[in-house]
Amino acid sequence: MLFFQTDLFVERCQRRLLEAGISLRQEYDLNRAVDLLSGMGRKEISPMLDPRKTVFTRSNCFWLFAEREGVPMIAGGVRLDDLEREGLDDYLMRAMPVIFGVALRPHTEPYLRDHIGGRLAYFGDLFSNQKTTLGLGKNAKLYMRLFNICAHHLVHNVMRPDAIWCFIRDKDHQRGADKSYGFIGEAPFLHEWEDNPFAAGRPEWIAFNNKQQHALMLSGAEKFLAKQMELT
């Protein structure tokens, strides 16, 4: 998909949200983002994105909210880490004890570096509680997918990453959540934690899109969602 065609499709996705009364807010005030998440019922933020546990700047972190009549309905956060030539495996071994306070057990082979590296944007903590999802009406799943498409494209354009990635639990992977979140690539997360730092369950997969997969994801989304957007 050519760049201008990509922009036109994402613009169409955003226009479809606006037609449903849903606007997007890019929030750089991370304290404000925490308050908005709390108002949505999200009491815990993963350490990867929690500004109370990591010092961020405007250049490496923001949150995106979908709002209807000023009320946040959907949220997701992003952080940028520039690994340069360091492999993701080595970076995770160094970073996870600092971010989560729990060490990873070394894995025998550096299995992740062949998938993604360089400037990595972590897109996670996608959230929409039941109350706000009901507020989105019968097309809630469509609006969630449109939100994710717009979020991926915004991250791609603002942060210029080599890849966008996230952690996924196996039970979510099995139901195809990573695809709904807009990811095409996947790899099992073979590292083991010394202890489980995740209240919702430890990640067992890494989902990702490199630059080529980002364009492919948008092309697929246009094919599968175009008619659905017209019918709803």
Side-chain angles (χ1 to χ4, degrees):
M1 181 184 287
L2 297 175
F3 185 77
F4 75 91
Q5 292 175 316
T6 297
D7 283 349
L8 288 174
F9 172 61
V10 176
E11 182 181 336
R12 185 180 172 194
C13 292
Q14 189 168 357
R15 186 167 63 248
R16 181 64 183 86
L17 289 172
L18 287 171
E19 290 170 355
I22 301 169
S23 59
L24 300 180
R25 175 216 286 258
Q26 189 177 355
E27 185 59 72
Y28 284 101
D29 184 337
L30 302 184
N31 292 325
R32 174 63 176 154
V34 171
D35 290 341
L36 290 172
L37 290 165
S38 179
M40 294 174 67
R42 178 95 189 203
K43 302 305 180 185
E44 294 186 357
I45 304 173
S46 74
M48 289 288 288
L49 292 164
D50 193 338
R52 296 162 296 191
K53 297 181 179 179
T54 301
V55 178
F56 293 112
T57 68
R58 288 178 62 92
S59 66
N60 64 8
C61 185
F62 66 83
W63 284 79
L64 188 67
F65 293 89
E67 300 178 330
R68 175 178 275 172
E69 298 180 352
V71 178
M73 315 293 282
I74 311 170
V78 59
R79 65 175 284 163
L80 178 70
D81 296 285
D82 192 345
L83 276 58
E84 295 188 348
R85 296 182 179 181
E86 183 176 14
L88 179 57
D89 308 78
D90 294 334
Y91 172 76
L92 291 176
M93 287 298 299
R94 291 193 306 105
M96 293 300 99
V98 177
I99 296 172
F100 289 94
V102 178
L104 286 174
R105 297 191 185 99
H107 195 267
T108 55
E109 296 292 335
Y111 63 98
L112 294 173
R113 67 175 56 186
D114 293 335
H115 295 290
I116 55 174
R119 290 172 60 85
L120 299 183
Y122 179 88
F123 173 51
D125 280 38
L126 184 67
F127 181 71
S128 175
N129 66 22
Q130 185 176 14
K131 182 178 179 180
T132 58
T133 302
L134 291 174
L136 291 173
K138 65 178 182 179
N139 295 319
K141 289 184 178 180
L142 171 63
Y143 299 149
M144 287 282 287
R145 291 191 70 181
L146 297 181
F147 172 85
N148 286 325
I149 290 167
C150 292
H152 273 264
H153 198 56
L154 179 64
V155 173
H156 182 76
N157 285 339
V158 171
M159 292 184 161
R160 301 293 183 184
D162 294 304
I164 303 172
W165 71 291
C166 74
F167 285 127
I168 295 284
R169 296 175 299 178
D170 185 62
K171 68 177 184 179
D172 295 326
H173 171 73
Q174 293 299 326
R175 64 180 178 84
D178 43 344
K179 301 300 183 288
S180 297
Y181 297 165
F183 291 101
I184 292 178
E186 57 190 29
F189 186 66
L190 300 179
H191 286 83
E192 292 290 341
W193 301 87
E194 295 289 349
D195 192 15
N196 181 17
F198 295 87
R202 71 186 65 199
E204 291 140 322
W205 291 83
I206 283 180
F208 55 87
N209 288 341
N210 58 32
K211 291 178 180 178
Q212 293 75 25
Q213 289 165 325
H214 173 76
L216 186 61
M217 178 273 291
L218 290 176
S219 296
E222 182 175 31
K223 175 181 178 180
F224 297 122
L225 291 179
K227 184 173 292 187
Q228 189 177 356
M229 285 193 287
E230 293 174 358
L231 295 177
T232 56

